[in-house]
Amino acid sequence: MCGIVGYIGTQTAKEILLAGLERLEYRGYDSAGIATVVDGKIHSIRSKGKLHKLREKAEKELILSKAGIGHTRWATHGKPEEHNAHPHMDNNNRIAVVQNGIIENYQNLKEKLSSKGYQFLSETDTEVIPNLIADLLPSPNSDTDLIYPSPLFKAVLESIKLLDGAFAMAIISSDYPDELMVVRQQAPIVLGFGQGEFFCASDVTALVPYTSTVLSLENGEIARLTPLGVEIYDFSGHRLKKIPHLLDWNPMSVEKQGFRHYMLKEIYEQPSVVRNCLEKYINKDWNPNKNLNCNPINLNLSPELYENLEQINILACGTSWHASLVGRYLLEKLANIPTRVQYASEFRYAPSPITANTLTIGVTQSGETADTLAALETEKQRRKDTNSIYKSRLIGITNRPETTLATIVDQIIDTQAGIEIGVAATKTFLAQLMAFYFLAIDLGYRRQTLSGGEIQLIIDGFRQLPEKIEEILKTQERRIQELAHNYLEAKDFIFVGRGINFPIALEGALKLKEISYIHAEGYPAGELKHGPIALLDSKVTVVSIAMAGKVYDKAISNAQEAKARDAHLIGVVSTNDTNATLTFDDLLPIPEVDELLSPMLTVIPLQILSYHIAAKRGLDVDQPRNLAKSVTVE
Ligand code: G6P
C-alpha cells in the first residue's frame, strides 16, 4: 500500500524519484507526487491518476535539487484527488512528508493543531505530520540542542512519539536541505547505500538500479540521511549500530523483458520457478531403495519445529489463502496432520482456541501484508508465557525472505519465485503450492505416513512439471488468447472444482475478477446445486476443473447439471480426455498429470484466460483498479 522513495546525494533527485516511484507503482497508483528543496523552499509537484501524469508535469520543470521524496498512493483517508496526494506540507511550506500507513489518532491531533491556528487542505491523516513537526521545529537561528544530531531530527522524533498507528515515512525540510529523515513503525521501509548518495524506498525494487547495499529499518527506528552518510537511532534517540547487507538481485528481474505485461512475463517464468524449487529442496542423495535415513526434502527447518507436532495452523490472505487451502489438503492427506487455514484478517480479532504442539505457518508473497503479520504477532504473543507444549513455533512461506515476515517467524521457507510485480499473483502462487508439497512430503517422511516408494512417485511427477507447464504455454497460450474474444462481454463466471482442485476454482475466480472486473465466484462443484445453480442461464459461464482422478465422474455430473440449465461450459481437462467435448463447449486442455499434482497445472490456463480477457478488454492488467500488491494497512 503506497510506495515511498527518498534520495539525497550528488545526482539530480527528480529523475531518481520518478524512476523509483515507477518501480513501486504496484503498491498503489491512484495519485502521486514528489517534493524537493529549491532555492530554500519546498517545491512539490502532485498529480491525480497514474504516475505518467506526474511525469508529464514534472518533465516540464527543471529541478536541480539533489534531495527529495516521492510517493505513489493507494487511498485510505481521502479520495484519490490531487489535494490528497502526497507529499503533504505544513502551513508554511517548510516541511514535506510522504507516508505509508495510517495515523489512527489523526483526528485528535488535527483538532489540537487547529486550535493553534493550523489549517488543513486535505482529508488525509498524513497532513497532521508536517504540521506537528513544524510546530516543534525551532526557527533556523535558534540554539541547537546538542543531545540530538539536528533540530529537524529532534522535531521529527518528538512528533512521531505523538502518533498512534502503523507507518513508514520520509521527511525533508527547506530549513535543513542536507537532511532526509526516514521513520519506520510497523510499515516497511528500506535504506540504500551508494557512493556519496543514499536512498530510501518502501521496497528494494526501487533501489536495484542504483545500489545493492541495503538495510531494512526495523520498527521503532529513525534514520538521518545526509550526503555524508546514514545514522540510525531508536525512538529514544539512542544511536544504533547496523550493518547493511548485499542484495543478490539481477536488475533485469524487475524489467518486463519484452513482455507486454509483468503478469504475462510472470506466467511464463513458472517453469523456471518450479525448476529452482526442485533444485533447492529435493535432496540429491535421496534414494528410497538405498538410504532410508536420508530425508527426501531439504527445507532446513530446525527439529524443534517438528517435535511432537499435533496440529498445523495456516494464516494468510487472498491468493496466499488459496495456496494454503491446497496446503491443508496436502498436509492432511500426505502427513495425516490436522490442519486449519484461517484468514489472517479474521484471526487477529477472533483467534481460534490455543492448541498444544501446533506449528503456525504465515503465507505471504509480499512478506509485508499487515493482516498476516499482525495475525502472526498475535499468535506469537498469546503463546509467549505459556507452558512449553503451547510455545509458538512459527514459519513463514514467502518469495521475499528479506521482508518483515522474517523478523516475526522462527524460520522461512523461501519459495524461490523472486519478486513478482503484476498485482495478480501467478508465479508466487505456484511457488507457494510447491512449498506446501515439500513440507507435506517432509512431514509425511518424518511421521512415516508416506512410504519411500510413494515419495519417489511424487518426486518423479514433480520433475515432469516444468516441461508440462512449458507445453501448456507453447500449445495453449495463443489458443486461449483467441478464446478470450468470446468472453469479453461476459458478466458472470462460476468456477467449480472438487477436492484438491476446489482452491484452484477459487483462485481462477479471483484472478478473473481482480483484473477483468467480471463478476466471478468459486465453488466446490458439489455445492453448485445448493444455491448458485439458481443463477445459471445461457448468460453465465461455468468453468469446471474436471481432471482424471477420483472426483472426475462427480465433476462431470456437476458440469452436466449446469449444462441442463443452459450455462456455457468451459472444461479444464486432460488432453487425453476424448469425451470432454460431449460435456463442454470450450476446453482448456492440460497434459496428463496425477490428480495429486494437478493444481500445479490446472491453474495455468485459468491465469492465461484471465490475462487475455483483461488485456483484450483494454484494462491495466498489472495495476487493476482499487488493488495493491502489498497491503500494508489492516
Ligand atoms: C493483495 C494482493 C493479492 C494477494 C493478497 C495477499 O490483495 O492484491 O494478490 O494475494 O494481497 O498478499 P500476500 O502478499 O500476503 O500474499
Side-chain angles (χ1 to χ4, degrees):
M1 276 319 70
C2 300
I4 292 177
V5 284
Y7 175 78
I8 190 158
T10 50
Q11 304 186 57
T12 306
K14 182 179 89 176
E15 187 46 44
I16 292 177
L17 297 175
L18 290 172
L21 291 179
E22 275 155 9
R23 284 169 191 279
L24 294 178
E25 204 178 6
Y26 67 87
R27 301 178 69 87
Y29 31 82
D30 59 43
S31 54
I34 56 172
T36 53
V37 178
V38 178
D39 297 333
K41 290 200 185 90
I42 300 276
H43 179 68
S44 126
I45 309 172
R46 301 187 294 177
S47 179
K48 180 182 167 177
K50 296 220 165 167
L51 259 172
H52 65 91
K53 299 253 165 88
L54 178 71
R55 186 176 269 287
E56 279 158 27
K57 261 186 171 181
E59 277 175 355
K60 291 186 188 129
E61 295 190 40
L62 179 70
I63 309 169
L64 296 175
S65 173
K66 298 198 176 351
I69 54 177
H71 188 268
T72 178
R73 181 168 186 248
W74 185 90
T76 59
H77 295 63
K79 284 188 182 246
E81 298 291 345
E82 187 172 321
H83 70 278
N84 287 325
H86 299 215
H88 287 284
M89 260 84 72
D90 69 301
N91 285 179
N92 296 317
N93 275 7
R94 292 165 75 201
I95 308 284
V97 174
V98 289
Q99 193 253 143
N100 168 29
I102 292 179
I103 308 303
E104 286 164 4
N105 59 338
Y106 81 102
Q107 285 290 14
N108 183 278
L109 295 168
K110 207 168 175 173
E111 278 160 28
K112 285 188 183 148
L113 287 163
S114 300
S115 68
K116 289 182 167 184
Y118 286 89
Q119 289 183 351
F120 292 89
L121 309 173
S122 78
E123 291 92 51
T124 67
D125 50 339
T126 302
E127 201 183 356
V128 295
I129 306 169
N131 286 302
L132 265 184
I133 299 172
D135 197 48
L136 294 165
L137 189 67
S139 67
N141 303 325
S142 6
D143 290 341
T144 341
D145 186 339
L146 290 176
I147 308 174
Y148 297 107
S150 81
L152 178 63
F153 177 93
K154 184 180 177 205
V156 170
L157 193 62
E158 284 177 1
S159 304
I160 53 179
K161 286 183 187 159
L162 303 173
L163 305 178
D164 291 339
F167 48 82
M169 61 179 98
I171 302 145
I172 54 169
S173 164
S174 53
D175 296 348
Y176 301 91
D178 287 336
E179 292 186 50
L180 166 62
M181 309 295 303
V182 184
V183 179
R184 173 183 169 137
Q185 180 61 3
Q186 309 284 358
I189 192 128
V190 53
L191 306 178
F193 298 72
Q195 297 284 343
E197 55 180 2
F198 304 93
F199 308 79
C200 71
S202 298
D203 192 348
V204 286
T205 40
L207 306 180
V208 169
Y210 308 105
T211 178
S212 48
T213 310
V214 300
L215 175 72
S216 283
L217 275 193
E218 288 178 36
N219 292 335
E221 289 182 351
I222 169 167
R224 177 172 174 262
L225 281 57
T226 71
L228 300 178
V230 173
E231 301 151 20
I232 299 171
Y233 301 81
D234 63 20
F235 281 3
S236 311
H238 296 125
R239 180 111 185 237
L240 305 171
K241 258 201 181 152
K242 301 227 121 189
I243 300 169
H245 67 271
L246 278 180
L247 209 61
D248 62 351
W249 272 27
N250 176 351
M252 288 304 282
S253 61
V254 292
E255 301 295 343
K256 281 196 200 139
Q257 294 174 356
F259 284 93
R260 191 169 153 213
H261 293 102
Y262 281 110
M263 182 178 174
L264 192 59
K265 175 192 165 219
E266 287 153 1
I267 288 173
Y268 270 83
E269 280 172 355
Q270 294 180 111
S272 54
V273 168
V274 176
R275 285 195 180 98
N276 291 347
C277 255
L278 292 170
E279 173 71 18
K280 170 104 179 159
Y281 291 123
I282 294 186
N283 197 334
K284 292 189 185 60
D285 299 328
W286 155 257
N287 181 334
N289 305 319
K290 285 195 187 144
N291 183 359
L292 282 174
N293 286 327
C294 159
N295 193 324
I297 303 297
N298 208 353
L299 291 172
N300 275 327
L301 297 177
S302 96
E304 293 107 69
L305 293 170
Y306 296 98
E307 222 172 13
N308 305 322
L309 206 55
E310 289 172 33
Q311 189 167 319
I312 291 182
N313 212 8
I314 311 176
L315 302 168
C317 298
T319 289
S320 297
W321 187 78
H322 295 158
S324 305
L325 293 180
V326 177
R328 174 176 67 194
Y329 183 100
L330 296 169
L331 290 160
E332 294 196 329
K333 190 175 165 65
L334 303 183
N336 196 28
I337 182 152
T339 303
R340 205 194 276 248
V341 182
Q342 295 175 81
Y343 281 118
S345 49
E346 289 293 310
F347 180 85
R348 185 163 182 211
Y349 298 102
S352 48
I354 194 159
T355 50
N357 297 319
T358 300
L359 175 67
T360 303
I361 308 177
V363 187
T364 160
Q365 56 79 25
S366 63
E368 298 291 356
T369 297
D371 283 320
T372 306
L373 300 185
L376 290 167
E377 289 278 18
T378 304
E379 182 65 356
K380 196 169 170 176
Q381 197 53 40
R382 73 172 177 160
R383 288 176 178 270
K384 210 167 177 183
D385 301 316
T386 56
N387 179 301
S388 66
I389 59 164
Y390 291 107
K391 282 265 181 277
S392 76
R393 315 172 188 197
L394 301 175
I395 63 173
I397 294 182
T398 187
N399 43 300
R400 302 293 305 273
E402 75 285 5
T403 52
T404 309
L405 176 70
T407 63
I408 299 171
V409 297
D410 301 311
Q411 274 186 278
I412 290 275
I413 300 177
D414 178 354
T415 67
Q416 306 293 308
I419 175 106
E420 183 175 70
I421 295 189
V423 165
T426 52
K427 65 171 181 172
T428 56
F429 173 74
L430 209 69
Q432 289 169 351
L433 294 190
M434 293 212 51
F436 277 119
Y437 278 101
F438 290 152
L439 185 64
I441 299 171
D442 187 17
L443 279 163
Y445 172 82
R446 289 167 193 267
R447 295 161 67 88
Q448 297 180 359
T449 53
L450 282 176
S451 69
E454 286 168 323
I455 293 175
Q456 192 56 46
L457 267 182
I458 303 174
I459 292 178
D460 289 345
F462 250 110
R463 294 207 190 280
Q464 295 170 19
L465 287 178
E467 276 174 29
K468 289 186 177 177
I469 299 171
E470 272 157 3
E471 189 182 326
I472 300 174
L473 296 171
K474 201 163 150 211
T475 62
Q476 298 300 319
E477 205 248 311
R478 266 286 170 79
R479 217 185 59 79
I480 297 175
Q481 184 174 10
E482 280 160 24
L483 195 66
H485 261 302
N486 305 340
Y487 299 98
L488 299 187
E489 302 301 325
K491 295 260 178 309
D492 295 290
F493 270 73
I494 296 182
F495 289 71
V496 291
R498 273 179 178 258
I500 196 166
N501 275 302
F502 158 54
I504 302 303
L506 294 177
E507 177 59 9
L510 181 67
K511 284 291 85 85
L512 186 69
K513 71 183 131 192
E514 65 185 347
I515 59 172
S516 73
Y517 317 145
I518 293 174
H519 170 245
E521 310 264 356
Y523 271 95
E527 288 296 301
L528 202 59
K529 56 187 172 297
H530 297 297
I533 202 162
L535 299 170
L536 299 188
D537 61 22
S538 59
K539 294 195 199 80
V540 179
T541 299
V542 174
V543 181
S544 166
I545 304 170
M547 294 301 296
K550 69 173 190 294
V551 298
Y552 177 78
D553 291 340
K554 294 274 183 294
I556 293 296
S557 306
N558 299 141
Q560 289 290 356
E561 287 155 16
K563 196 182 171 90
R565 271 88 188 167
D566 292 330
H568 184 82
L569 284 190
I570 300 180
V572 179
V573 295
S574 285
T575 32
N576 62 353
D577 182 350
T578 46
N579 290 328
T581 47
L582 302 177
T583 307
F584 298 105
D585 300 301
D586 285 317
L587 297 181
L588 299 175
I590 59 169
E592 214 182 328
V593 62
D594 188 272
E595 191 176 26
L596 186 77
L597 299 185
S598 62
M600 295 290 296
L601 298 188
T602 51
V603 73
I604 311 280
L606 300 183
Q607 296 168 342
I608 301 173
L609 182 67
S610 300
Y611 169 79
H612 281 300
I613 292 178
K616 279 187 193 297
R617 280 162 71 100
L619 300 170
D620 191 340
V621 175
D622 286 333
Q623 293 170 356
R625 71 182 178 208
N626 305 339
L627 298 177
K629 183 83 185 155
S630 183
V631 183
T632 55
V633 293
E634 287 168 46

